[in-house]
Amino acid sequence: MESVDRCVVLVDAGYLLGAAASLLAGEPSRSRITVDHAALIQGLREGAEADTAQPLLRIYWFDGAPDRVPQPEHRRLRVMPRVTVRLGALTRSDGRWAQKGVDAAMHAELTELARNRACSDVVLVTGDGDLLPGLMSAKEHGVAVHLWAVQAADGDYNQSEDLVAEADERRVLDRSWITRAVRARDLTGLCPPPPAPRPEIAAILSAPLPEAALAEAARNGAVPAVSGLGGPAAPESPAGTATPSAPAVSGRTVPTPKDLAGLRPPAAPGGTATVPSPLPPAGSALRWSSDKGWIDRGGPLGEPAETASLPTLAQLTSAEQRWADREEDITTVGGDPFEVGQVFARRWMERLPETVHLQKLSIMYPRIPHRIDGELLRYAARFGLLAHKDDQIDEHDRYAIRAGFWREIDVRAAASPVAAPVTPGVGEAP
């Protein structure tokens, strides 16, 4: 059986992006670069077809991911035409991340393609000598092997000499080729700059906190007792009352939920103290969306009465809709935190049986009821947004997820003639 006249590209993403980071930023950390994946894939396709004089069959993108869960970049790549993503494990040892199973997957794919005569030419973008047996096997099956290297930084050599010697053709992707799709981040020292804030996130963070909460927080050291934070310095506590102190936070202009959690003990109806679950001053609002930890949950599900009747997305979703949602998640949702919040909110609003639920939600801005907020964050976790430590979503990503949720609520509420509009300012810059 003769080989089909077409080419295949196998990319070791760890090598390609690590070498690009070394070239452009001086160290192999991929956090030091930003990548336009669409432009990179297009460059690989055009280069492979030009070098081999054959049409492209497919680009295989091999990379590592924690627990093999696709990260947002993998989700974007795998829905691109002619791109297949293969993931190995990403494990942490001695403070460093290492890929496991990527080389073995590349070797298996290379030998299988050659054995089945699926192509006439293979382009390998790698530097790992472990692929030498696979390269030799491909050649024995009549496949021409093109080995591509990334220009090494400072004259270093970043490819196995045995691979170079065994390849049929070789090409070096120089700085000008790399910079069509890859840029070095503008860093200060070794610390990446904070992400550029979205106006929607700024709107949530600038939501006014009631004067009483600011005064109480200032009295306990959670925020400075100065003007400019929405109210004057806190008055003295009434005689005979003791307030547990909250930790002071250097440089913070607003208290976090953790700061507010220790402000004052709850009181049951009639003024008697209840369980020692701290509550904020009466009427205070939580800026960080989730009300877990300090809202007195007195409703039928242990939630405030005004939110207990709000249905979750799971309660509103049929089996057929769950299937359609999963299909959309796999094929079209890229995994950007803001986009994830929008998708969740769109589905929730489309399935609401009564607009009264939207009215209840809108007056709570910027808080999201705990049950819905928890469901939102669990949904976001499907897209690889969990940080690599403590299985927590990054703080900025949480802001973006919730800002996306409120932005979609705002847009759809404004477009609906029967729905009450969301609190003015949602989704707008302060």
Side-chain angles (χ1 to χ4, degrees), residues 215-266:
E216 191 79 23
R219 184 163 56 251
N220 289 280
V223 294
V226 295
S227 59
L229 294 176
E236 293 295 328
S237 298
T241 60
T243 307
S245 61
V249 183
S250 174
R252 182 175 290 152
T253 58
V254 293
T256 68
K258 185 176 180 181
D259 297 331
L260 293 174
L263 292 182
R264 113 185 189 185

